[in-house]
Amino acid sequence: MNLCAAAFSERGAKLARRIALAFGGSAWAPEKYAGGGVLPFGVSLGEWTKERFEEAEALVFVSSCGIAVRAVAPYLKGKDKDPAVTVADERGLSVISLLSGHIGGANELALRIAEAIGARPVITTATDVNGITPPDSWAVKNNCAIENLPAAKRVADELLSGHAVGVAVTDELQPVPYPVTLWLRPKNLIVGVGCKRGTEPELLRGCFLDFMKQSGYSPLSVASVEQKKDEAAVAGLAEFYEIPFETFSAETLMALPGDFTPSPAALAAVGTDNVCERAAATWCVSKQNTPASPSRWQEKGVCDL
């Protein structure tokens, strides 16, 4: 786990190292407390936090809550963007879920850290303390994207009040079924993308969006041929929709058995007779261990640029 634990005392540094070892992360402290597996900050706490906030899955502060709050406050973006942030006292008596308890996983992380070091977990989110499964936590655990995050809070409020709620779990674009509907999109769609070198990112994004709307599905996962792994338009498309961008070599794509739409031009250019369909089917086989069948994608069509 990409976890970074920060401490500010000798005893705290030892606990930070213990937590980091338990989760395969890294421990950090001021230079005078560094060593023995604890890295020195090397910069101000603000700069350190900014760097880790962009790349880490979780931050653990072995400190007071005040230090942690002041450190992360300038870099907060939103509950669907921020990493998990937890706080442990230097004696390891309590572990507090401070930020991104549900989507970021801080609640679960606090429970796991507490178990690892023999501490008391402190969880304060209303649904959890009332024994109710939060819809956003359920979405994360079941690999679903939350399409309309504000509705998650309304649904949680209704659950706390004991009312019925409306949650739609589907990868298809459908009419709204309930007065207030929380849309959860299972991340089970794979799109093979191919384009000419130098294609404008905005053009590819527009074609992709049109394709998905016509298909009736939400965008979730992208795969492409290896030669296009540095293609700005494809990388930008994945970044814009916050979906994984995976690549396969031409040899890997050609090795996949099946009936794919052949393209002599693609074969001459990149060494495979088909990019889009083969990439999507190859992803299914390599990641989900499911039979390769391009029929679903052939039915939806291909947009070439």
Side-chain angles (χ1 to χ4, degrees):
M1 182 180 189
N2 189 357
L3 174 150
C4 296
F8 308 90
S9 67
E10 183 176 0
R11 173 180 277 180
K14 291 179 180 178
L15 181 58
R17 180 176 180 273
R18 183 179 170 191
I19 293 171
L21 287 174
F23 293 89
S26 56
W28 302 73
E31 188 171 357
K32 63 181 178 180
Y33 303 125
V38 178
L39 301 170
F41 285 134
V43 293
S44 69
L45 178 58
E47 292 175 296
W48 180 90
T49 304
K50 181 180 180 180
E51 293 177 7
R52 300 306 168 296
F53 219 73
E54 294 291 333
E55 61 188 33
E57 296 175 76
L59 297 181
V60 180
F61 288 86
V62 182
S63 67
S64 68
C65 282
I67 289 176
V69 169
R70 291 185 178 90
V72 304
Y75 313 113
L76 302 183
K77 295 180 179 179
K79 62 186 301 180
D80 58 332
K81 306 288 186 184
D82 301 329
V85 178
T86 63
V87 178
D89 65 88
E90 69 170 35
R91 291 184 60 191
L93 300 178
S94 300
V95 181
I96 304 169
S97 173
L98 186 67
L99 181 71
S100 292
H102 292 160
I103 298 178
N107 286 0
E108 183 177 352
L109 178 61
L111 292 171
R112 292 175 61 195
I113 293 175
E115 183 179 5
I117 66 175
R120 178 176 67 96
V122 179
I123 309 295
T124 59
T125 43
T127 47
D128 296 84
V129 300
N130 283 284
I132 297 173
T133 300
D136 43 5
S137 288
W138 188 94
V140 172
K141 290 181 179 179
N142 289 275
N143 199 32
C144 292
I146 302 174
E147 183 174 283
N148 51 337
L149 189 58
K153 185 180 186 305
R154 294 188 63 181
V155 168
D157 290 342
E158 292 298 310
L159 287 170
L160 287 167
S161 300
H163 300 153
V165 298
V167 179
V169 185
T170 176
D171 59 6
E172 297 184 5
L173 301 176
Q174 299 176 351
V176 178
Y178 313 110
V180 177
T181 302
L182 174 63
W183 290 98
L184 303 183
R185 303 298 189 182
K187 297 180 181 180
N188 59 357
L189 299 181
I190 306 93
V191 179
V193 177
C195 66
K196 293 183 176 68
R197 286 288 185 190
T199 294
E200 290 294 327
E202 293 77 11
L203 175 60
L204 180 60
R205 188 187 308 161
C207 290
F208 176 76
L209 184 59
D210 289 342
F211 173 75
M212 296 305 296
K213 287 181 178 179
Q214 293 171 12
S215 301
Y217 292 98
S218 296
L220 293 174
S221 186
V222 175
S224 182
V225 66
E226 186 179 36
Q227 283 87 338
K228 294 297 179 69
K229 65 184 177 183
D230 59 348
E231 182 62 45
V234 181
L237 177 70
E239 182 178 358
F240 182 82
Y241 285 103
E242 297 183 351
I243 49 182
F245 173 36
E246 305 209 21
T247 65
F248 302 99
S249 67
E251 292 76 12
T252 299
L253 295 183
M254 283 297 288
L256 186 69
D259 183 17
F260 301 94
T261 305
S263 169
L267 182 62
V270 296
T272 176
D273 63 357
N274 178 288
V275 177
C276 296
E277 296 167 12
R278 284 189 178 275
T282 298
W283 190 96
C284 289
V285 173
S286 64
K287 299 299 173 66
Q288 298 180 345
N289 201 26
T290 56
S293 176
S295 59
R296 185 183 187 190
W297 303 96
Q298 290 172 334
E299 290 173 2
K300 297 304 177 183
V302 176
C303 176
D304 290 322
L305 296 179

